[in-house]
Amino acid sequence: MSVSEGLDVRRGEDADLILRRATVLDPVAAIDGVHDVVIRDGEIAALAAPGEGEAEGAEVVEAEGMHAFPAFFDPHVHLRTPGHQHKEDVETGTRSAAAGGYCGILAMANTDPPVSTAADVTALREQARAGASVPVGFLATVSREMAGEELTEMVELREAGAVGFSDDGLPIVSARLMLRALQYQRLCGGTIALHEEDPELSGAGVMHEGPVSAALGLAGVPSVSESTMIARDAALAAYENARIHVQHLSAAESVAVVRAAKAAGVQISAEASPHHLCLTDEAVRSLDPRRFKMNPPLRHESDRQALIEALRDGTIECVATDHAPHQAEEKDVPFEQAAMGVTGLETAFAALHTELVLPGTIELALLVERMAGGAAPFGVERPSLAPGSEANVALCDLGAEWTVGEDGYESRSQNSWCAGRTLTGRVMVTVAAGQVAFRLRSFSLGVAA
Ligand SMILES: [Zn+2]
Ligand SMILES: [Zn+2]
């Protein structure tokens, strides 16, 4: 088993690399100390005593003072291909992921056309093998063309390599369709990832419903639009003994529902996005849709606190960016009309390190664990720094300050919720599936010994 098994990536040269005197932190493998990380033929060959890793024939990186983490895994990315390559494609999206320290991502299926047939999955997998910097897994839609009426051929889609299923972008409104999807899932595997929202409650809302939406005179989306649908689907998953993953949790009520479902033994996992963990609806007072309009919307401070608590106690097992690229013409319009979504791959770790770890809200080890927590819910092996593992490493300089957007983006789009912010902590090198997937331009790797 390896992280990249079942995912697709462009195969190049296996890394032979020594990260000299790196502070190695892998909480799940109980590794915490200064080591030479010795990477041979794309594997973690050894964690040697500082300065003593065998360097012959390998590139040497002087990593003293830097941190080596298991590279991150993002279960929620929009690569916008096919159909919207002017926003992103497999190549730019995976470059963006590599720059953010990721060794694997899952791509959503709400493309144009949506990923609804085995041929669609096969074509995307070929694209990833031709041009993906980090391994990608593709989800297929639950309903045909995301119309919410008929199921896709889930068994066939799994055989073609779909990692899971999601109609993300839209909820599955019909409880009957949801139930049947869960029945098939039990048969063919593949976690169903759910964008939870009751369209009748969301209505024409463009931000969180509360005092801020009232003050701005904007239509609001109430928290119960999300939590009531999660409650329905948790009950259906329990009834069918099937597995669901709840995407982009945003509200305290939703956290309570997921926590109760887990306590009752439901096979349910959940993710939260960096923007929901760092921002509240107060940011919307700026009326800047490029950075602050997304679905689900930014909610109240009490919701943000509930998400942080859920990240701590494991109710939320992973951070997922919901990286959603849009071009300027879809964003630089009045708030009500602007497209929903923000990019996040390149800034997720740095933003959470800056906003939650440095002030002491959560421990670094917890962040590192949750950044890779999105693999297991989809049956993907968790990245590990234990010797013998496929090399998947994010080398970070936790003291480096940088201003987001100053050097441009690897993504084709610029709607980063962090644009213009100064963050502390930067990914210097990413090794993904045993290959060097990214190195920061200003940071040169050492010479071969
Ligand atoms: Zn969504
Ligand atoms: Zn999404």
Side-chain angles (χ1 to χ4, degrees), residues 141-165:
T141 61
V142 174
S143 72
R144 235 178 253 266
E145 304 297 315
M146 282 178 68
E149 286 162 12
E150 294 169 74
L151 286 185
T152 51
E153 300 288 345
M154 290 172 64
V155 177
E156 238 173 68
L157 286 161
R158 282 284 287 164
E159 282 166 2
V163 171
F165 302 94

Side-chain angles (χ1 to χ4, degrees), residues 37-236:
V37 181
V38 183
I39 299 166
R40 291 288 185 186
D41 299 325
E43 273 194 10
I44 308 282
L47 299 177
E52 290 180 12
E54 174 56 57
E56 202 189 323
E59 260 186 301
V60 179
V61 178
E62 293 302 336
E64 188 161 7
M66 293 188 192
H67 281 70
F69 304 125
F72 314 135
F73 190 92
D74 192 344
H76 192 157
V77 171
H78 295 271
L79 290 179
R80 300 301 192 209
T81 187
H84 296 285
Q85 288 91 330
H86 62 291
K87 302 183 186 193
E88 199 78 287
D89 62 25
V90 171
E91 209 176 308
T92 59
T94 56
R95 273 213 312 266
S96 188
Y102 288 91
C103 66
I105 61 173
L106 298 184
M108 293 300 121
N110 64 334
T111 49
D112 187 13
V115 183
S116 291
T117 68
D120 296 335
V121 173
T122 302
L124 284 167
R125 295 190 67 188
E126 275 167 16
Q127 281 187 42
R129 285 195 289 272
S133 301
V134 304
V136 190
F138 294 95
L139 272 61
T141 61
V142 174
S143 72
R144 235 178 253 266
E145 304 297 315
M146 282 178 68
E149 286 162 12
E150 294 169 74
L151 286 185
T152 51
E153 300 288 345
M154 290 172 64
V155 177
E156 238 173 68
L157 286 161
R158 282 284 287 164
E159 282 166 2
V163 171
F165 302 94
S166 182
D167 275 9
D168 179 47
L170 296 174
I172 295 169
V173 178
S174 159
R176 189 184 138 274
L177 191 80
M178 183 68 209
L179 195 74
R180 295 206 42 230
L182 292 167
Q183 289 166 350
Y184 271 95
Q185 189 246 21
R186 229 183 28 200
L187 205 75
C188 66
T191 299
I192 299 179
L194 296 165
H195 169 119
E196 296 290 30
E197 175 179 18
D198 182 332
E200 292 196 347
L201 292 177
S202 291
V206 295
M207 67 172 294
H208 174 58
E209 183 171 274
V212 181
S213 66
L216 293 172
L218 291 174
V221 176
S223 296
V224 288
S225 171
E226 179 176 273
S227 59
T228 54
M229 285 293 269
I230 299 173
R232 182 200 77 175
D233 290 340
L236 294 176

Side-chain angles (χ1 to χ4, degrees), residues 17 19 67 74 79 101 118 134 167 196 217 231 241 267 273 304 323 421 439 447:
L17 204 63
L19 309 177
H67 281 70
D74 192 344
L79 290 179
V134 304
D167 275 9
E196 296 290 30
N241 194 24
Q267 299 178 69
S273 74
R304 189 178 80 92
H323 178 84
R421 280 180 178 237
R439 51 187 92 189
V447 287

